[in-house]
């Protein structure tokens, strides 16, 4: 007999109270909470590990918890489950998908590979388990360049599903890659015109950008890097002000690490100034608490699919050790 969710009424509980209950449940369940930098501060404050996609995949691989609670988007929790088939993996909201990952349907990608049989497929971790299973190596924005540089010259490469990251990597590594045309709606929303306007408004600020942004934006940035690399850069740079062209959730940690510096979210357009990942923001403290109380939504992956998808993830972890 399965137990129905108890769904306690949390409407009267403050964020602080919910956070205290989450911390207590963590002990009770021997759970680890992994949260992406794009989640809300209320989530980051209770997480055991806050990181970018690579750091979170590594944390999912190396932990002694019985339960992994993943506050991020679906492909991240799915990756954690693939790395830990025997553990209970929960998400605060299983509807928190990644539109970039969903922009690469399995059958179309299979046909793309079949049309280029001599090419190896390196795919961004922002992809479904089915796409990972069709790939040779997974990568994140933190290790993609390092991985591509290990591929012998002359070996053709398929890269997917992010066209902007693919174009940036092709240029950085001097490789002519076959790139899948997907994109992240959050990063792709930034335009050159509004970026130039922001730079003119804040002449002392450095523009820093994630490689999921379009080339017309990246070409004006003084630094381009993954979420973690951007964070590290803001600590090291002597500048005191930055225009941040990525998901603004990272600004919470940037401010914590560099209290004297100012961080301006890059404008999407004058009417809608920031470009926010709606899926990441589905992770609220209330949903996180209920997921831990109810032990659901649970993330499951078909074992045969998981075994195939594990290979490129394991290859990535080996190549970026
Ligand atoms: P990283 O965490 O690898 O920088 O990727 C950014 C992102 O869009 C995550 O969904
Ligand atoms: Fe996907 Fe973009 Fe959101 Fe990251 S920021 S989860 S790539 S939609």
């Amino acid at each position: 007999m399965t137990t129905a969710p108890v769904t306690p009424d949390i409407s009267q509980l403050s964020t602080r109270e919910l956070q205290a209950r989450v911390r207590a449940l963590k002990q009770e369940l021997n759970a680890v909470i992994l949260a992406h930098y794009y989640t809300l501060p209320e989530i980051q404050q209770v997480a055991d590990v806050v990181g970018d996609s690579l750091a979170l995949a590594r944390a999912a691989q190396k932990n002694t918890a019985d339960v992994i609670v993943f506050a991020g988007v679906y492909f991240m929790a799915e990756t954690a489950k693939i790395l830990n088939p025997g553990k209970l993996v929960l998400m605060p909201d299983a509807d928190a998908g990644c539109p970039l990952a969903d922009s690469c349907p399995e059958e179309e990608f299979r046909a793309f590979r079949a049309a280029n049989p001599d090419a190896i497929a390196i795919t961004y971790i922002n992809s479904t388990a089915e796409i990972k299973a069709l790939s040779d190596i997974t990568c994140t924005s933190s290790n993609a360049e390092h991985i591509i540089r290990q591929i012998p010259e002359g070996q053709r490469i398929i890269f997917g599903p992010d066209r902007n990251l693919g174009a940036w990597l092709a240029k950085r590594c001097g490789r002519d890659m076959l790139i899948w045309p997907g994109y992240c709606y959050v990063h792709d929303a930034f335009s050159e015109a509004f970026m130039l306007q922001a730079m003119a408004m804040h002449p002392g600020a450095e523009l820093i950008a994630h490689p999921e942004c379009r080339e017309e934006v990246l070409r004006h940035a003084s630094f381009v890097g993954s979420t973690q690399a951007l964070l590290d850069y803001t600590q090291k740079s002597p500048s005191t002000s930055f225009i941040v062209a990525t998901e603004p959730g990272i600004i919470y940690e940037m401010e914590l690490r560099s209290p004297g510096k100012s961080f301006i979210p890059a404008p999407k357009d004058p009417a809608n100034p920031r470009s926010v990942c709606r899926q990441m923001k589905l992770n609220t403290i209330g949903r996180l608490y209920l997921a831990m109380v109810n032990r659901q939504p649970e993330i499951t992956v078909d074992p045969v699919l998981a075994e195939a998808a594990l290979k490129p993830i394991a290859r990535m972890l080996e190549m970026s050790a």
Side-chain angles (χ1 to χ4, degrees), residues 36 53 70 72-82 91 96-98 100-101 124-129 132 280:
H36 195 274
S53 306
F70 213 117
V73 289
Y74 196 89
F75 75 80
M76 296 178 178
E78 188 177 59
T79 302
K81 181 67 184 177
I82 292 166
M91 269 185 91
C98 167
L100 167 61
Y124 201 23
I125 198 163
N126 300 41
S127 57
T128 61
K132 289 187 177 82
M280 286 282 184

Side-chain angles (χ1 to χ4, degrees), residues 36 38 52-53 76 124 126 141 187 210 212 226-227 280:
H36 195 274
Y38 297 171
D52 71 350
S53 306
M76 296 178 178
Y124 201 23
N126 300 41
S141 51
H187 292 88
H210 193 284
E212 286 174 22
S226 66
T227 311
M280 286 282 184

Side-chain angles (χ1 to χ4, degrees), residues 268-279:
K268 180 169 138 192
D269 64 53
N272 192 358
R274 305 175 309 151
S275 190
V276 172
C277 179
R278 292 187 294 277
Q279 291 72 19

